[in-house]
Amino acid sequence: MSDRLPGFSTLAVHAGAQPDPTTGARATPIYQTTSFVFNDADHAASLFGLQAFGNIYTRIGNPTNAVLEERVAALEGGTAALAVASGHAAQVVVLQQLLQPGDEFIAARKLYGGSINQFTHAFKSFGWNVVWADPDDIASFERAVTPRTKAIFIESIANPAGSITDIEAISTVARKAGVPLIVDNTLASPYLIRPIDHGADIVVHSLTKFLGGHGNSLGGIIVDAGTFDWSTGGKYPMLSEPRPEYHGIRLQETFGNFAFAIACRVLGLRDLGPALSPFNAFMILTGIETLPLRMQKHCDNAKAVAEFLAGHPAVASVNYAGLASDKYNQLARKYAPRGAGAVFTFSLKGGYDAGVSLVSKLQLFSHLANVGDTRSLVIHPASTTHSQLDDAAKVKSGAGPDVVRLSVGIEDKEDLIADLEQALGA
Ligand SMILES: *Cc1c(COP(=O)(O)O)cnc(C)c1O
């Protein structure tokens, strides 16, 4: 073996996995078991007291999930990771370690619609107050900082229009405020953007999308960059203060640069309970093996489709950061040189009726509310996900009556363009 470090595609296939020591199985087995036998009473006591690492119960950890955690940590360049049941579960578990009731976090206004709901309603009921900032105006993050701010939350490639966020600029604001920067990297995947390289302290994913990649399994993951000092200023007592449920140990002191991932597991996942099924971990691991191949094809197809739409007479405008004319093209060149992702919006000259007509005439694109599938997907937000908003609110959230969102799949691009052509023209 040479001593060169493995590249991204090698890690996508191998990181965290080895042949099963008992059976020789080459694929990672699905450890479909709730619990694990202790060696003896001392072993059991040390596992429960966090003095030894090992398996206890699948709500807290499972060997199939552990391979997934190690693999995504390697791909993102983090120190450790924790897999959970969904992207939304990842967001709850992360913020529960950081916020006490009455605290605040700053979030970019351009986010996945489900996250906007979660932050506005569910988190409010926990006493966690979201303060919105504009990812296109870095100073708006600075202005939003108060003594109660505990974190900043952004998306690397942001919903709904696939805009690119200036992660480094916002990480500078977070550093100055003394709070961690959390980046939702779902739409980019680590193949396109590695937020930790640009100053993120915590990365979260919906594994449901490009990482799993096949539209068949929900999952979420939290990656700890190992960069944040949780002990300063007494702001993060979950990490810096003695834990009564673990014989008074302090997590940062005991676990150093992976203390945050440990806190998410032994305080968040253990007590809140959103464990990932080992079967889903297996499906997502299989998906990740082909992440580099799929992502490149997604991006190449998306660019071809965006170029076709930009030249079509029925189309008013296309928002795709991979187009040279796009407002986010400079940021795309810096942060995502391999491609600007596969989720973007465009608007139709014919307005609402043209949007409804398009989704009903498309045959290869599936009309549904998801992204990051091998299959191409389409949605008309104004008549579906955003239909409850008034027209002004629709426009403000990037879901005006004329807007259509695509998630471009890995089919032949000629077939995708032919499908759009027949649906737009007819
Ligand atoms: C889908 C999605 C989520 C939520 O993930 P689930 O797995 O559906 O809970 C969060 N952020 C982004 C960007 C998403 O696309």
Side-chain angles (χ1 to χ4, degrees):
M1 283 287 280
S2 74
D3 53 8
R4 63 173 263 119
L5 291 173
F8 190 91
S9 296
T10 304
L11 292 173
V13 175
H14 291 285
Q18 52 190 34
D20 183 66
T22 312
T23 61
R26 191 62 188 88
T28 298
I30 304 170
Y31 289 96
Q32 190 70 19
T33 180
T34 56
S35 11
F36 302 85
V37 176
F38 305 121
N39 301 341
D40 54 39
D42 284 348
H43 177 227
S46 63
L47 288 176
F48 272 93
L50 298 182
Q51 281 110 20
F53 290 107
N55 298 306
I56 301 174
Y57 187 64
T58 285
R59 171 154 45 73
I60 308 167
N62 174 283
T64 311
N65 299 22
V67 175
L68 174 63
E69 288 158 354
E70 221 179 294
R71 186 160 308 168
V72 177
L75 294 176
E76 287 285 6
T79 53
L82 176 72
V84 293
S86 69
H88 268 14
Q91 294 169 188
V92 180
V93 168
V94 162
L95 289 177
Q96 194 224 0
Q97 310 320 309
L98 304 178
L99 273 75
Q100 309 290 315
D103 282 344
E104 296 169 3
F105 68 107
I106 302 168
R109 206 182 292 282
K110 284 188 187 159
L111 289 184
Y112 174 68
S115 300
I116 293 177
N117 271 327
Q118 186 191 42
F119 294 179
T120 307
H121 303 295
F123 286 1
K124 186 117 214 158
S125 75
F126 303 164
W128 304 343
N129 299 314
V130 62
V131 180
W132 300 107
D134 178 358
D136 297 332
D137 173 13
I138 304 302
S140 72
F141 284 82
E142 259 168 307
R143 287 194 301 273
V145 173
T146 77
R148 297 223 70 157
T149 305
K150 294 296 173 72
I152 297 179
F153 187 102
I154 60 174
E155 290 179 1
S156 51
I157 298 184
N159 256 296
S163 48
I164 311 284
T165 306
D166 191 345
I167 302 170
E168 286 173 15
I170 297 173
S171 112
T172 303
V173 176
R175 225 135 270 181
K176 232 171 93 189
V179 303
L181 175 64
I182 306 162
V183 179
D184 181 339
N185 199 31
T186 300
L187 290 196
S189 91
Y191 177 74
L192 297 180
I193 300 179
R194 298 208 323 165
I196 292 172
D197 295 345
H198 302 290
D201 300 294
I202 298 161
V203 174
V204 292
H205 277 281
S206 170
L207 297 169
T208 316
K209 314 295 169 53
F210 291 101
L211 282 167
H214 295 72
N216 57 25
S217 307
L218 261 91
I221 202 157
I222 300 157
V223 182
D224 184 353
T227 44
F228 198 83
D229 180 0
W230 304 103
S231 62
T232 46
K235 266 193 194 168
Y236 302 100
M238 297 282 271
L239 288 125
S240 64
E241 297 312 302
R243 294 311 311 173
E245 61 274 70
Y246 291 110
H247 310 300
I249 68 167
R250 299 168 193 263
L251 295 180
Q252 159 126 43
E253 193 179 276
T254 308
F255 297 105
N257 70 356
F258 57 101
F260 187 76
I262 294 280
C264 287
R265 184 185 304 280
V266 305
L267 303 176
L269 185 57
R270 186 197 67 166
D271 294 348
L272 298 175
L276 178 69
S277 147
F279 180 81
N280 280 20
F282 171 85
M283 295 299 281
I284 293 162
L285 270 171
T286 304
I288 290 175
E289 291 179 10
T290 56
L291 176 73
L293 301 172
R294 285 186 291 105
M295 267 337 266
Q296 196 58 61
K297 178 91 173 175
H298 277 295
C299 289
D300 295 348
N301 279 359
K303 183 145 193 262
V305 167
E307 279 164 356
F308 162 77
L309 290 169
H312 195 282
V315 173
S317 64
V318 179
N319 299 303
Y320 183 59
L323 296 178
S325 57
D326 193 81
K327 162 175 177 198
Y328 295 99
N329 191 249
Q330 277 299 108
L331 287 171
R333 282 170 196 274
K334 170 173 177 174
Y335 286 103
R338 286 165 156 165
V343 177
F344 65 92
T345 58
F346 63 100
S347 59
L348 290 164
K349 289 179 185 161
Y352 185 94
D353 293 340
V356 172
S357 159
L358 178 74
V359 294
S360 64
K361 285 181 183 146
L362 283 168
Q363 289 163 0
L364 202 49
F365 283 79
S366 301
H367 181 204
L368 55 75
N370 191 24
V371 296
D373 195 327
T374 48
R375 287 154 278 263
S376 288
L377 315 174
V378 63
I379 197 156
H380 177 230
S383 61
T384 55
T385 52
H386 292 63
S387 58
Q388 73 284 6
L389 301 179
D390 63 36
D391 279 355
K394 278 179 189 148
V395 171
K396 214 171 150 199
S397 63
D402 53 341
V403 171
V404 174
R405 187 186 73 186
L406 300 182
S407 174
V408 179
I410 60 172
E411 302 95 335
D412 287 309
K413 63 178 187 284
E414 294 80 6
D415 293 330
L416 299 175
I417 289 170
D419 193 29
L420 284 161
E421 191 155 39
Q422 65 79 20
L424 284 167

